[in-house]
Amino acid sequence: MYYGYRCYTKEDEPLGWLYTFNKNLEYAWTNRDFHLCKRWKTEKGAKKHFDYYNNNWQFKSKGGYLKIEVMPEFSESNSSAKSNQQRWNEANRDKVYESQEKYNQKRPIMSFRPKIELLEWLEEERRFDKDGEPETDAALLNRKLEKLKDLEQQGF
């Protein structure tokens, strides 16, 4: 169940359900494509933004108004069930890749194959927590590298 904004004319005639496009600059209504509409899971969420949308709708419709009402049931297709973040990521793939590259440059992932003797030694050095769970490979390697760095700074 969703709460949405039902659009009315200044003569109190119901038009349909409010949706926006063109980066929330254009307002329209529909009675079919409910997945496009502004909708909230709670009435409180709908009330939070009501004044903003109502003022814009009144201007656009030259005197009409909005009402918060329970929307008719509808099923979302897989493509329309995507979150705002997923839709933004798809629309801005170049920015996503660019920021991922920056992140990877600051925190590189290193891959290597240590010798069998080193793996056996690391397994002997692995610590266990109170519950008997072994520390992760990453935690073990980071701990050993920190120890090596400290020894190197001391002049060994």
Side-chain angles (χ1 to χ4, degrees), residues 1-136:
M1 178 172 74
Y2 288 100
Y3 293 89
Y5 299 142
R6 188 83 182 263
C7 303
Y8 289 87
T9 64
K10 62 182 175 185
E11 291 84 27
D12 298 327
E13 296 173 22
L15 296 172
W17 298 92
L18 178 74
Y19 73 94
T20 64
F21 57 98
N22 194 13
K23 299 180 182 175
N24 273 352
L25 298 175
E26 298 291 329
Y27 288 70
W29 55 271
T30 184
N31 283 316
R32 294 182 309 185
D33 301 320
F34 296 126
H35 65 278
L36 297 174
C37 297
K38 293 290 182 183
R39 63 186 188 278
W40 289 264
K41 291 184 179 180
T42 64
E43 190 173 6
K44 182 180 178 182
K47 286 179 181 178
K48 183 177 179 181
H49 303 282
F50 178 75
D51 290 334
Y52 172 77
Y53 288 108
N54 191 39
N55 289 338
N56 289 336
W57 177 252
Q58 285 176 346
F59 178 76
K60 164 82 173 154
S61 64
K62 297 181 175 89
Y65 61 95
L66 299 177
K67 265 186 167 177
I68 297 173
E69 296 180 12
V70 176
M71 294 182 74
E73 293 295 322
F74 66 97
S75 62
E76 295 179 305
S77 67
N78 287 340
S79 62
S80 67
K82 294 179 181 175
S83 70
N84 288 339
Q85 183 68 49
Q86 289 170 322
R87 287 193 293 268
W88 189 91
N89 287 349
E90 288 173 359
N92 299 290
R93 288 192 189 277
D94 54 337
K95 291 182 181 178
V96 171
Y97 290 134
E98 184 181 313
S99 64
Q100 185 67 44
E101 278 299 314
K102 286 181 183 177
Y103 179 87
N104 288 342
Q105 286 174 356
K106 291 179 183 174
R107 297 162 193 84
I109 297 172
M110 300 175 70
S111 177
F112 67 98
R113 294 185 185 272
K115 295 179 183 176
I116 297 294
E117 298 84 29
L118 286 175
L119 287 174
E120 290 170 354
W121 172 75
L122 281 172
E123 205 53 49
E124 291 170 7
E125 295 292 315
R126 190 180 301 270
R127 292 182 181 164
F128 293 86
D129 63 10
K130 299 173 210 163
D131 301 328
E133 294 289 320
E135 70 182 326
T136 64

